[in-house]
Amino acid sequence: MYDPITGHCVLASAGHPGPVLVSRGGAEADMVSVRPGLPLAEGAEPFEATELQLSPGDVLSFYTGALTRDPFHTRGLTVVLLQEPLDDDLALLVTQVRRLPEDATAAWELAADPSIVAGIRRQVADQLTS
Protein backbone atom coordinates (compact mmCIF):
# COMPACT_ATOMS: atom_id res chain seq x y z
CA MET A 1 0.00 0.00 0.00
CA TYR A 2 1.44 3.36 -1.04
CA ASP A 3 0.28 6.80 0.02
CA PRO A 4 1.17 9.14 -2.88
CA ILE A 5 0.85 12.23 -0.69
CA THR A 6 3.14 11.29 2.21
CA GLY A 7 5.40 8.73 0.47
CA HIS A 8 4.62 6.16 3.17
CA CYS A 9 4.64 2.57 1.88
CA VAL A 10 3.62 -0.61 3.72
CA LEU A 11 4.24 -3.99 2.13
CA ALA A 12 4.09 -7.66 3.02
CA SER A 13 5.17 -10.80 1.21
CA ALA A 14 3.20 -13.95 0.49
CA GLY A 15 6.26 -16.12 -0.09
CA HIS A 16 8.14 -13.84 -2.50
CA PRO A 17 11.46 -12.09 -1.91
CA GLY A 18 11.43 -8.42 -1.01
CA PRO A 19 11.69 -5.80 -3.74
CA VAL A 20 14.82 -3.97 -4.80
CA LEU A 21 14.70 -0.25 -3.97
CA VAL A 22 16.75 2.04 -6.20
CA SER A 23 17.08 5.51 -4.75
CA ARG A 24 16.29 8.58 -6.83
CA GLY A 25 18.98 9.02 -9.44
CA GLY A 26 20.07 5.39 -9.29
CA ALA A 27 23.01 6.05 -6.96
CA GLU A 28 22.04 3.34 -4.45
CA ALA A 29 20.16 0.07 -4.68
CA ASP A 30 19.12 -2.04 -1.70
CA MET A 31 17.17 -5.21 -1.15
CA VAL A 32 14.15 -4.37 1.01
CA SER A 33 14.17 -6.77 3.92
CA VAL A 34 10.83 -8.54 4.30
CA ARG A 35 9.85 -11.64 6.21
CA PRO A 36 7.96 -13.70 3.62
CA GLY A 37 4.77 -15.27 4.88
CA LEU A 38 3.26 -18.42 3.49
CA PRO A 39 2.04 -18.28 -0.12
CA LEU A 40 -1.58 -17.26 -0.48
CA ALA A 41 -4.03 -20.13 0.16
CA GLU A 42 -1.36 -22.15 1.99
CA GLY A 43 -1.84 -20.74 5.45
CA ALA A 44 -3.75 -18.40 7.66
CA GLU A 45 -0.84 -16.84 9.53
CA PRO A 46 -0.79 -13.03 9.57
CA PHE A 47 1.72 -11.31 7.30
CA GLU A 48 4.46 -9.20 8.85
CA ALA A 49 4.43 -5.70 7.38
CA THR A 50 7.50 -3.73 6.36
CA GLU A 51 7.23 0.07 6.30
CA LEU A 52 9.21 2.34 3.98
CA GLN A 53 9.44 6.08 3.44
CA LEU A 54 9.83 6.63 -0.31
CA SER A 55 10.95 9.76 -2.15
CA PRO A 56 9.84 10.96 -5.58
CA GLY A 57 11.95 9.26 -8.24
CA ASP A 58 12.69 6.13 -6.18
CA VAL A 59 12.15 2.87 -8.07
CA LEU A 60 10.78 -0.36 -6.59
CA SER A 61 11.33 -3.63 -8.49
CA PHE A 62 9.19 -6.57 -7.44
CA TYR A 63 9.88 -10.06 -8.79
CA THR A 64 8.90 -13.65 -8.20
CA GLY A 65 11.39 -16.17 -6.88
CA ALA A 66 11.38 -17.96 -10.25
CA LEU A 67 13.62 -15.17 -11.57
CA THR A 68 16.59 -16.41 -9.53
CA ARG A 69 18.12 -19.76 -8.64
CA ASP A 70 17.61 -19.03 -4.97
CA PRO A 71 15.19 -16.12 -4.43
CA PHE A 72 16.46 -15.43 -0.92
CA HIS A 73 20.20 -15.53 -1.67
CA THR A 74 22.00 -12.51 -3.04
CA ARG A 75 25.61 -11.42 -3.17
CA GLY A 76 25.27 -7.74 -2.40
CA LEU A 77 22.65 -6.79 -4.95
CA THR A 78 23.87 -9.17 -7.65
CA VAL A 79 21.27 -11.85 -8.25
CA VAL A 80 22.18 -14.82 -10.43
CA LEU A 81 19.57 -15.04 -13.19
CA LEU A 82 18.47 -18.36 -14.60
CA GLN A 83 19.63 -19.31 -18.08
CA GLU A 84 17.54 -22.47 -18.44
CA PRO A 85 13.76 -22.69 -19.06
CA LEU A 86 11.59 -22.06 -16.03
CA ASP A 87 9.27 -24.59 -14.44
CA ASP A 88 7.30 -21.87 -12.65
CA ASP A 89 5.60 -18.59 -13.51
CA LEU A 90 7.71 -15.47 -13.64
CA ALA A 91 6.68 -11.89 -12.92
CA LEU A 92 8.60 -8.63 -12.80
CA LEU A 93 7.03 -5.30 -11.83
CA VAL A 94 9.04 -2.07 -11.85
CA THR A 95 7.44 1.12 -10.58
CA GLN A 96 8.72 4.66 -10.09
CA VAL A 97 7.47 6.59 -7.09
CA ARG A 98 5.58 9.82 -7.70
CA ARG A 99 3.95 12.19 -5.27
CA LEU A 100 0.63 13.98 -5.54
CA PRO A 101 -0.16 17.37 -4.08
CA GLU A 102 -2.52 17.14 -1.14
CA ASP A 103 -5.29 18.92 -3.06
CA ALA A 104 -5.22 16.19 -5.76
CA THR A 105 -7.19 13.80 -3.57
CA ALA A 106 -10.55 13.81 -1.87
CA ALA A 107 -12.05 11.94 1.05
CA TRP A 108 -15.62 11.80 2.23
CA GLU A 109 -17.34 10.17 5.18
CA LEU A 110 -20.56 8.68 3.89
CA ALA A 111 -23.66 7.55 5.69
CA ALA A 112 -24.68 3.93 5.20
CA ASP A 113 -27.75 5.07 3.28
CA PRO A 114 -28.48 3.79 -0.25
CA SER A 115 -30.45 6.94 -1.05
CA ILE A 116 -27.22 9.00 -1.26
CA VAL A 117 -25.60 6.88 -4.02
CA ALA A 118 -26.70 9.01 -6.99
CA GLY A 119 -25.53 12.24 -5.35
CA ILE A 120 -22.19 10.74 -4.38
CA ARG A 121 -21.67 9.49 -7.95
CA ARG A 122 -22.14 13.06 -9.17
CA GLN A 123 -19.77 14.37 -6.49
CA VAL A 124 -17.08 11.82 -7.48
CA ALA A 125 -17.50 12.62 -11.19
CA ASP A 126 -17.19 16.37 -10.43
CA GLN A 127 -14.05 15.76 -8.35
CA LEU A 128 -12.46 13.62 -11.08
CA THR A 129 -13.31 16.24 -13.71
CA SER A 130 -11.71 19.02 -11.65
mmCIF file of all heavy atoms in Angstrom, residues 1-11 19-24 30 32 50-62 95-100:
data_model
loop_
_atom_site.group_PDB
_atom_site.id
_atom_site.type_symbol
_atom_site.label_atom_id
_atom_site.label_comp_id
_atom_site.label_asym_id
_atom_site.label_seq_id
_atom_site.Cartn_x
_atom_site.Cartn_y
_atom_site.Cartn_z
ATOM 1 N N MET A 1 0.857 -1.150 0.000
ATOM 2 C CA MET A 1 0.000 0.000 0.000
ATOM 3 C C MET A 1 0.912 1.224 0.000
ATOM 4 O O MET A 1 1.863 1.293 0.779
ATOM 5 C CB MET A 1 -0.875 -0.035 1.252
ATOM 6 C CG MET A 1 -1.812 1.115 1.370
ATOM 7 S SD MET A 1 -2.967 0.950 2.754
ATOM 8 C CE MET A 1 -1.876 0.817 4.152
ATOM 9 N N TYR A 2 0.620 2.166 -0.917
ATOM 10 C CA TYR A 2 1.444 3.362 -1.039
ATOM 11 C C TYR A 2 0.567 4.601 -0.939
ATOM 12 O O TYR A 2 -0.448 4.697 -1.616
ATOM 13 C CB TYR A 2 2.188 3.350 -2.381
ATOM 14 C CG TYR A 2 2.945 4.618 -2.644
ATOM 15 C CD1 TYR A 2 4.017 4.978 -1.853
ATOM 16 C CD2 TYR A 2 2.569 5.477 -3.667
ATOM 17 C CE1 TYR A 2 4.714 6.157 -2.078
ATOM 18 C CE2 TYR A 2 3.260 6.657 -3.908
ATOM 19 C CZ TYR A 2 4.326 6.992 -3.104
ATOM 20 O OH TYR A 2 5.005 8.160 -3.319
ATOM 21 N N ASP A 3 0.967 5.530 -0.101
ATOM 22 C CA ASP A 3 0.275 6.805 0.021
ATOM 23 C C ASP A 3 1.033 7.829 -0.825
ATOM 24 O O ASP A 3 2.153 8.223 -0.474
ATOM 25 C CB ASP A 3 0.255 7.250 1.481
ATOM 26 C CG ASP A 3 -0.501 8.551 1.699
ATOM 27 O OD1 ASP A 3 -0.591 9.370 0.748
ATOM 28 O OD2 ASP A 3 -0.990 8.774 2.812
ATOM 29 N N PRO A 4 0.451 8.248 -1.965
ATOM 30 C CA PRO A 4 1.166 9.141 -2.875
ATOM 31 C C PRO A 4 1.288 10.578 -2.380
ATOM 32 O O PRO A 4 1.923 11.392 -3.035
ATOM 33 C CB PRO A 4 0.329 9.069 -4.154
ATOM 34 C CG PRO A 4 -1.045 8.757 -3.674
ATOM 35 C CD PRO A 4 -0.863 7.877 -2.474
ATOM 36 N N ILE A 5 0.703 10.887 -1.251
ATOM 37 C CA ILE A 5 0.847 12.227 -0.689
ATOM 38 C C ILE A 5 2.014 12.277 0.296
ATOM 39 O O ILE A 5 2.857 13.156 0.230
ATOM 40 C CB ILE A 5 -0.459 12.687 -0.006
ATOM 41 C CG1 ILE A 5 -1.555 12.828 -1.061
ATOM 42 C CG2 ILE A 5 -0.255 13.998 0.747
ATOM 43 C CD1 ILE A 5 -2.915 13.112 -0.521
ATOM 44 N N THR A 6 2.105 11.286 1.180
ATOM 45 C CA THR A 6 3.144 11.288 2.210
ATOM 46 C C THR A 6 4.394 10.506 1.812
ATOM 47 O O THR A 6 5.449 10.693 2.413
ATOM 48 C CB THR A 6 2.607 10.678 3.511
ATOM 49 O OG1 THR A 6 2.317 9.288 3.288
ATOM 50 C CG2 THR A 6 1.377 11.417 4.004
ATOM 51 N N GLY A 7 4.281 9.587 0.841
ATOM 52 C CA GLY A 7 5.405 8.729 0.467
ATOM 53 C C GLY A 7 5.539 7.511 1.354
ATOM 54 O O GLY A 7 6.474 6.727 1.219
ATOM 55 N N HIS A 8 4.586 7.302 2.259
ATOM 56 C CA HIS A 8 4.623 6.159 3.165
ATOM 57 C C HIS A 8 4.174 4.899 2.430
ATOM 58 O O HIS A 8 3.154 4.911 1.757
ATOM 59 C CB HIS A 8 3.723 6.426 4.374
ATOM 60 C CG HIS A 8 3.829 5.394 5.432
ATOM 61 N ND1 HIS A 8 2.750 4.688 5.885
ATOM 62 C CD2 HIS A 8 4.894 4.931 6.131
ATOM 63 C CE1 HIS A 8 3.132 3.847 6.816
ATOM 64 N NE2 HIS A 8 4.437 3.971 6.987
ATOM 65 N N CYS A 9 4.935 3.833 2.554
ATOM 66 C CA CYS A 9 4.639 2.571 1.876
ATOM 67 C C CYS A 9 4.665 1.439 2.895
ATOM 68 O O CYS A 9 5.582 1.359 3.722
ATOM 69 C CB CYS A 9 5.682 2.318 0.785
ATOM 70 S SG CYS A 9 5.445 0.775 -0.123
ATOM 71 N N VAL A 10 3.670 0.573 2.861
ATOM 72 C CA VAL A 10 3.615 -0.609 3.716
ATOM 73 C C VAL A 10 3.472 -1.810 2.794
ATOM 74 O O VAL A 10 2.602 -1.828 1.923
ATOM 75 C CB VAL A 10 2.415 -0.553 4.690
ATOM 76 C CG1 VAL A 10 2.373 -1.802 5.558
ATOM 77 C CG2 VAL A 10 2.475 0.700 5.554
ATOM 78 N N LEU A 11 4.337 -2.812 2.976
ATOM 79 C CA LEU A 11 4.240 -3.991 2.131
ATOM 80 C C LEU A 11 4.439 -5.251 2.950
ATOM 81 O O LEU A 11 4.998 -5.222 4.043
ATOM 82 C CB LEU A 11 5.231 -3.924 0.964
ATOM 83 C CG LEU A 11 6.711 -3.757 1.289
ATOM 84 C CD1 LEU A 11 7.393 -5.107 1.308
ATOM 85 C CD2 LEU A 11 7.339 -2.886 0.233
ATOM 86 N N PRO A 19 11.325 -6.539 -2.526
ATOM 87 C CA PRO A 19 11.690 -5.799 -3.737
ATOM 88 C C PRO A 19 13.082 -5.193 -3.622
ATOM 89 O O PRO A 19 13.668 -5.123 -2.551
ATOM 90 C CB PRO A 19 10.631 -4.702 -3.798
ATOM 91 C CG PRO A 19 10.255 -4.480 -2.378
ATOM 92 C CD PRO A 19 10.343 -5.823 -1.720
ATOM 93 N N VAL A 20 13.587 -4.751 -4.754
ATOM 94 C CA VAL A 20 14.815 -3.967 -4.799
ATOM 95 C C VAL A 20 14.388 -2.509 -4.856
ATOM 96 O O VAL A 20 13.512 -2.139 -5.637
ATOM 97 C CB VAL A 20 15.662 -4.334 -6.046
ATOM 98 C CG1 VAL A 20 16.865 -3.406 -6.170
ATOM 99 C CG2 VAL A 20 16.091 -5.792 -5.986
ATOM 100 N N LEU A 21 14.987 -1.682 -4.007
ATOM 101 C CA LEU A 21 14.704 -0.252 -3.974
ATOM 102 C C LEU A 21 15.914 0.489 -4.521
ATOM 103 O O LEU A 21 17.014 0.368 -3.995
ATOM 104 C CB LEU A 21 14.402 0.217 -2.546
ATOM 105 C CG LEU A 21 14.245 1.719 -2.329
ATOM 106 C CD1 LEU A 21 13.094 2.284 -3.151
ATOM 107 C CD2 LEU A 21 14.050 2.014 -0.845
ATOM 108 N N VAL A 22 15.702 1.213 -5.609
ATOM 109 C CA VAL A 22 16.754 2.042 -6.201
ATOM 110 C C VAL A 22 16.417 3.484 -5.858
ATOM 111 O O VAL A 22 15.340 3.973 -6.207
ATOM 112 C CB VAL A 22 16.840 1.846 -7.728
ATOM 113 C CG1 VAL A 22 17.929 2.741 -8.315
ATOM 114 C CG2 VAL A 22 17.096 0.387 -8.066
ATOM 115 N N SER A 23 17.345 4.141 -5.168
ATOM 116 C CA SER A 23 17.083 5.511 -4.745
ATOM 117 C C SER A 23 17.056 6.448 -5.945
ATOM 118 O O SER A 23 17.600 6.139 -7.008
ATOM 119 C CB SER A 23 18.142 5.975 -3.742
ATOM 120 O OG SER A 23 19.411 6.001 -4.360
ATOM 121 N N ARG A 24 16.402 7.563 -5.776
ATOM 122 C CA ARG A 24 16.293 8.580 -6.826
ATOM 123 C C ARG A 24 17.663 8.832 -7.444
ATOM 124 O O ARG A 24 18.640 9.017 -6.745
ATOM 125 C CB ARG A 24 15.730 9.850 -6.201
ATOM 126 C CG ARG A 24 15.693 11.030 -7.114
ATOM 127 C CD ARG A 24 15.216 12.288 -6.422
ATOM 128 N NE ARG A 24 15.584 12.331 -5.026
ATOM 129 C CZ ARG A 24 14.872 12.932 -4.097
ATOM 130 N NH1 ARG A 24 13.772 13.549 -4.400
ATOM 131 N NH2 ARG A 24 15.264 12.932 -2.847
ATOM 132 N N ASP A 30 19.138 -1.182 -2.882
ATOM 133 C CA ASP A 30 19.118 -2.042 -1.703
ATOM 134 C C ASP A 30 17.992 -3.052 -1.814
ATOM 135 O O ASP A 30 16.914 -2.742 -2.336
ATOM 136 C CB ASP A 30 18.899 -1.212 -0.428
ATOM 137 C CG ASP A 30 20.048 -0.291 -0.125
ATOM 138 O OD1 ASP A 30 21.180 -0.781 -0.004
ATOM 139 O OD2 ASP A 30 19.808 0.930 -0.019
ATOM 140 N N VAL A 32 15.036 -4.693 -0.106
ATOM 141 C CA VAL A 32 14.155 -4.367 1.015
ATOM 142 C C VAL A 32 13.960 -5.642 1.810
ATOM 143 O O VAL A 32 13.553 -6.676 1.271
ATOM 144 C CB VAL A 32 12.805 -3.812 0.523
ATOM 145 C CG1 VAL A 32 11.866 -3.585 1.698
ATOM 146 C CG2 VAL A 32 13.018 -2.522 -0.256
ATOM 147 N N THR A 50 6.269 -4.517 6.406
ATOM 148 C CA THR A 50 7.497 -3.727 6.358
ATOM 149 C C THR A 50 7.089 -2.324 5.922
ATOM 150 O O THR A 50 6.329 -2.166 4.975
ATOM 151 C CB THR A 50 8.493 -4.331 5.346
ATOM 152 O OG1 THR A 50 8.838 -5.643 5.781
ATOM 153 C CG2 THR A 50 9.737 -3.480 5.227
ATOM 154 N N GLU A 51 7.578 -1.305 6.619
ATOM 155 C CA GLU A 51 7.230 0.071 6.296
ATOM 156 C C GLU A 51 8.437 0.794 5.702
ATOM 157 O O GLU A 51 9.560 0.624 6.172
ATOM 158 C CB GLU A 51 6.737 0.799 7.543
ATOM 159 C CG GLU A 51 5.455 0.192 8.090
ATOM 160 C CD GLU A 51 4.812 1.020 9.181
ATOM 161 O OE1 GLU A 51 4.966 2.265 9.153
ATOM 162 O OE2 GLU A 51 4.167 0.429 10.053
ATOM 163 N N LEU A 52 8.181 1.567 4.660
ATOM 164 C CA LEU A 52 9.214 2.340 3.977
ATOM 165 C C LEU A 52 8.767 3.779 3.836
ATOM 166 O O LEU A 52 7.567 4.049 3.731
ATOM 167 C CB LEU A 52 9.455 1.794 2.559
ATOM 168 C CG LEU A 52 9.807 0.336 2.388
ATOM 169 C CD1 LEU A 52 9.798 -0.040 0.920
ATOM 170 C CD2 LEU A 52 11.164 0.053 2.997
ATOM 171 N N GLN A 53 9.717 4.689 3.783
ATOM 172 C CA GLN A 53 9.437 6.077 3.436
ATOM 173 C C GLN A 53 10.108 6.318 2.090
ATOM 174 O O GLN A 53 11.329 6.271 1.992
ATOM 175 C CB GLN A 53 9.969 7.041 4.496
ATOM 176 C CG GLN A 53 9.575 8.474 4.260
ATOM 177 C CD GLN A 53 8.071 8.689 4.274
ATOM 178 O OE1 GLN A 53 7.360 8.141 5.104
ATOM 179 N NE2 GLN A 53 7.580 9.475 3.338
ATOM 180 N N LEU A 54 9.312 6.503 1.054
ATOM 181 C CA LEU A 54 9.827 6.635 -0.305
ATOM 182 C C LEU A 54 9.860 8.098 -0.733
ATOM 183 O O LEU A 54 9.045 8.909 -0.284
ATOM 184 C CB LEU A 54 8.965 5.823 -1.264
ATOM 185 C CG LEU A 54 8.863 4.330 -0.947
ATOM 186 C CD1 LEU A 54 7.878 3.647 -1.872
ATOM 187 C CD2 LEU A 54 10.228 3.673 -1.019
ATOM 188 N N SER A 55 10.803 8.404 -1.615
ATOM 189 C CA SER A 55 10.952 9.758 -2.151
ATOM 190 C C SER A 55 10.589 9.763 -3.627
ATOM 191 O O SER A 55 10.758 8.741 -4.314
ATOM 192 C CB SER A 55 12.398 10.234 -1.990
ATOM 193 O OG SER A 55 12.743 10.288 -0.632
ATOM 194 N N PRO A 56 10.124 10.888 -4.150
ATOM 195 C CA PRO A 56 9.840 10.965 -5.583
ATOM 196 C C PRO A 56 11.076 10.564 -6.392
ATOM 197 O O PRO A 56 12.194 10.978 -6.083
ATOM 198 C CB PRO A 56 9.490 12.433 -5.811
ATOM 199 C CG PRO A 56 9.022 12.917 -4.470
ATOM 200 C CD PRO A 56 9.848 12.155 -3.468
ATOM 201 N N GLY A 57 10.855 9.725 -7.395
ATOM 202 C CA GLY A 57 11.954 9.262 -8.236
ATOM 203 C C GLY A 57 12.525 7.923 -7.820
ATOM 204 O O GLY A 57 13.243 7.292 -8.588
ATOM 205 N N ASP A 58 12.249 7.466 -6.586
ATOM 206 C CA ASP A 58 12.689 6.133 -6.176
ATOM 207 C C ASP A 58 12.029 5.091 -7.069
ATOM 208 O O ASP A 58 10.928 5.318 -7.588
ATOM 209 C CB ASP A 58 12.303 5.840 -4.722
ATOM 210 C CG ASP A 58 13.123 6.624 -3.705
ATOM 211 O OD1 ASP A 58 14.111 7.267 -4.100
ATOM 212 O OD2 ASP A 58 12.765 6.590 -2.513
ATOM 213 N N VAL A 59 12.688 3.955 -7.246
ATOM 214 C CA VAL A 59 12.154 2.873 -8.067
ATOM 215 C C VAL A 59 12.103 1.602 -7.230
ATOM 216 O O VAL A 59 13.091 1.233 -6.591
ATOM 217 C CB VAL A 59 13.022 2.636 -9.325
ATOM 218 C CG1 VAL A 59 12.542 1.428 -10.107
ATOM 219 C CG2 VAL A 59 13.025 3.883 -10.210
ATOM 220 N N LEU A 60 10.942 0.945 -7.229
ATOM 221 C CA LEU A 60 10.780 -0.359 -6.585
ATOM 222 C C LEU A 60 10.636 -1.413 -7.672
ATOM 223 O O LEU A 60 9.844 -1.252 -8.596
ATOM 224 C CB LEU A 60 9.526 -0.389 -5.702
ATOM 225 C CG LEU A 60 9.641 0.223 -4.323
ATOM 226 C CD1 LEU A 60 8.272 0.237 -3.647
ATOM 227 C CD2 LEU A 60 10.630 -0.524 -3.457
ATOM 228 N N SER A 61 11.410 -2.509 -7.547
ATOM 229 C CA SER A 61 11.329 -3.632 -8.487
ATOM 230 C C SER A 61 10.896 -4.868 -7.720
ATOM 231 O O SER A 61 11.626 -5.344 -6.844
ATOM 232 C CB SER A 61 12.689 -3.887 -9.143
ATOM 233 O OG SER A 61 13.093 -2.767 -9.879
ATOM 234 N N PHE A 62 9.718 -5.367 -8.053
ATOM 235 C CA PHE A 62 9.186 -6.574 -7.440
ATOM 236 C C PHE A 62 9.363 -7.732 -8.414
ATOM 237 O O PHE A 62 9.180 -7.551 -9.617
ATOM 238 C CB PHE A 62 7.687 -6.417 -7.148
ATOM 239 C CG PHE A 62 7.373 -5.324 -6.163
ATOM 240 C CD1 PHE A 62 7.185 -4.020 -6.591
ATOM 241 C CD2 PHE A 62 7.254 -5.605 -4.822
ATOM 242 C CE1 PHE A 62 6.885 -3.007 -5.694
ATOM 243 C CE2 PHE A 62 6.951 -4.607 -3.913
ATOM 244 C CZ PHE A 62 6.768 -3.303 -4.342
ATOM 245 N N THR A 95 8.263 -0.073 -10.723
ATOM 246 C CA THR A 95 7.442 1.118 -10.577
ATOM 247 C C THR A 95 8.262 2.273 -10.020
ATOM 248 O O THR A 95 9.105 2.075 -9.151
ATOM 249 C CB THR A 95 6.221 0.837 -9.676
ATOM 250 O OG1 THR A 95 5.397 1.992 -9.615
ATOM 251 C CG2 THR A 95 6.624 0.434 -8.279
ATOM 252 N N GLN A 96 8.035 3.464 -10.564
ATOM 253 C CA GLN A 96 8.724 4.659 -10.085
ATOM 254 C C GLN A 96 7.769 5.459 -9.207
ATOM 255 O O GLN A 96 6.605 5.665 -9.560
ATOM 256 C CB GLN A 96 9.203 5.516 -11.245
ATOM 257 C CG GLN A 96 10.036 6.706 -10.775
ATOM 258 C CD GLN A 96 10.635 7.483 -11.926
ATOM 259 O OE1 GLN A 96 10.018 7.616 -12.964
ATOM 260 N NE2 GLN A 96 11.831 7.983 -11.719
ATOM 261 N N VAL A 97 8.277 5.883 -8.074
ATOM 262 C CA VAL A 97 7.466 6.594 -7.090
ATOM 263 C C VAL A 97 7.223 8.030 -7.552
ATOM 264 O O VAL A 97 8.138 8.713 -8.012
ATOM 265 C CB VAL A 97 8.187 6.606 -5.722
ATOM 266 C CG1 VAL A 97 7.442 7.469 -4.721
ATOM 267 C CG2 VAL A 97 8.349 5.186 -5.206
ATOM 268 N N ARG A 98 5.974 8.431 -7.438
ATOM 269 C CA ARG A 98 5.584 9.817 -7.696
ATOM 270 C C ARG A 98 4.791 10.302 -6.502
ATOM 271 O O ARG A 98 4.208 9.527 -5.766
ATOM 272 C CB ARG A 98 4.729 9.911 -8.954
ATOM 273 C CG ARG A 98 5.519 9.553 -10.184
ATOM 274 C CD ARG A 98 4.763 9.884 -11.426
ATOM 275 N NE ARG A 98 5.583 9.567 -12.578
ATOM 276 C CZ ARG A 98 5.117 9.205 -13.726
ATOM 277 N NH1 ARG A 98 3.819 9.129 -13.911
ATOM 278 N NH2 ARG A 98 5.924 8.941 -14.717
ATOM 279 N N ARG A 99 4.749 11.597 -6.345
ATOM 280 C CA ARG A 99 3.952 12.191 -5.270
ATOM 281 C C ARG A 99 2.834 13.012 -5.883
ATOM 282 O O ARG A 99 2.951 13.522 -6.990
ATOM 283 C CB ARG A 99 4.801 13.105 -4.400
ATOM 284 C CG ARG A 99 5.819 12.407 -3.535
ATOM 285 C CD ARG A 99 5.204 11.972 -2.208
ATOM 286 N NE ARG A 99 6.159 11.324 -1.367
ATOM 287 C CZ ARG A 99 6.891 11.918 -0.439
ATOM 288 N NH1 ARG A 99 6.770 13.206 -0.222
ATOM 289 N NH2 ARG A 99 7.736 11.240 0.283
ATOM 290 N N LEU A 100 1.764 13.141 -5.148
ATOM 291 C CA LEU A 100 0.635 13.976 -5.540
ATOM 292 C C LEU A 100 0.516 15.130 -4.554
ATOM 293 O O LEU A 100 0.758 14.953 -3.362
ATOM 294 C CB LEU A 100 -0.668 13.172 -5.497
ATOM 295 C CG LEU A 100 -0.837 12.046 -6.498
ATOM 296 C CD1 LEU A 100 -2.138 11.306 -6.222
ATOM 297 C CD2 LEU A 100 -0.832 12.584 -7.916
#
